[in-house]
Amino acid sequence: MDYEGDFLNDPNDNVSGCIKPTRELITRSTFKVYKRRWFVLLVLCLLNSSNAALWLTFAPVADQSAQYLHATLDQVNWLSLVYMVVAIPLSFGTTWMIDSLGLRITLILGSWLNMLGALLRLFGTFESLGLSDPYPLVMSGQTLCAVAQPLVIFAPTKMAALWFSENQRATANMIASMSNPVGLLFANILSPLIVTTNDRIPLLMLVYAIPACLVCFLATVGLRSSGPPTPPSASAESSTSEPFIQGLKLLLRNRPYLVLLVCFGCGIAVFTCFSSLLEQILCVRGYSNFFAGLCGSLFIVFGVVGAGVLGLFVDKTKMFTEVTKVNMALSALACIAFAVVSQMRQQEVAVAAACSLFGLFGFAIYPVAMELCVECTYPVGEATSTGLIFISGQVQSVVLMVALQALTRPLADSPFSTCSIGGDPALSWRVSVLVMAGVFAALSCLFIIFFNSPYRRILAEAKAAQSGLPSFKADCIDTVSQAVCQGTLEPSIGTKENEELDPGKDC
């Protein structure tokens, strides 16, 4: 057990023989954190990475997968699209489960579904079973993994709120959230590396099944409770204070949240379309599949680096709104730059730089925006508020993907294209990428202009800290009042609504 510190015995912070109870000292003497929180974070990260890798297993080796599974390329694409289709209807039940049944049950169930799906995919590729058509069994396993995704991807904010103190929450959420793109990165690297020939598909299934089994064992054996014995912060005490239906009603009446729901949901949709269509956008201009994969990797790597920097920064400054608005603006500029340079030939450096900047500014704000979502909707459950944003992103992803594909036009002459296969003409994505950049820029402007919300969770924790004054020793109470009257103790936290908690307002 990690205590924040024993301040009652600190001789350097006495006022007339008693401790000077600043807000920081009150919080530290009341709440504590536990070393087990790092194990919970590790399990969630491994589960998130494993599920993401299972999602993108077949996309980098689509041709080989189609031949081995006796399927078409469209059927192979559905092995990835099933995640999006399944997530939308199941997300509402998942948000209720996390906030009502607890983190432990949710993660254990998610780990078992993830493992069973991975094993089912593995069994489907065994030639010894004599299956004439292995695709249905592989799709069944992939569907189980898709069912596990909402149970995993909604958990980071809840885990951070229940196990980490207020000055570690954003960092913990960042680490857990960014483990998902790390899994995507591993899939992009491992799948082409392993599958050099069609008959190595079973080996690929085995490689991805081993981590799924390991994390299932760790979750089942190691997760003993949804939260620590005592809360790490004031907000953790009321993390599920609002019932699920009541929470939904509060969210629909929260105007700042609705702005975030639409605008950041659009951001998720743009990033999804960018990741899915990158190779198709670039190949028509003569860029190789290897270069497209490199740009996708740069997008993820720079996003993880940016998320790490921003997570540490907002943990120290609590500038959630400012960071999100600045990065949304920079992401829109990077998206516009990509839309322009991706339509030019032989501009590898410019295209790679645009992808890197898009990831650095855009991908990095995901965990910060999730924390901002929790701050502006407290005391609604973390999984409910962040889950609806994920649902919004998935719905907008489907709409935007269909729209962008509809805006493509076949090229009569494409001598430099590397993606015209089977005699089909290459498609021009010029209008599509410009529309994608325009939509993202417009929604970013709307967010910057119209979003404004107090940090409700931070305010609630500050109120709880000040209301904790009576818990100190009785012989210190008079000293507290004297310290406030003399100006040595800040009487409030800077907002009028907290005057009722000011111990020195009648001095």
Side-chain angles (χ1 to χ4, degrees), residues 366-385:
Y366 177 80
V368 178
M370 292 296 101
E371 283 293 305
L372 177 61
C373 169
V374 175
E375 291 292 344
C376 75
T377 59
Y378 183 84
V380 177
E382 295 85 359
T384 302
S385 57

Side-chain angles (χ1 to χ4, degrees), residues 251-263:
L251 292 178
L252 294 178
R253 294 197 297 264
N254 188 327
R255 290 184 180 180
Y257 176 75
L258 294 178
V259 173
L260 186 64
L261 180 74
V262 174
C263 296

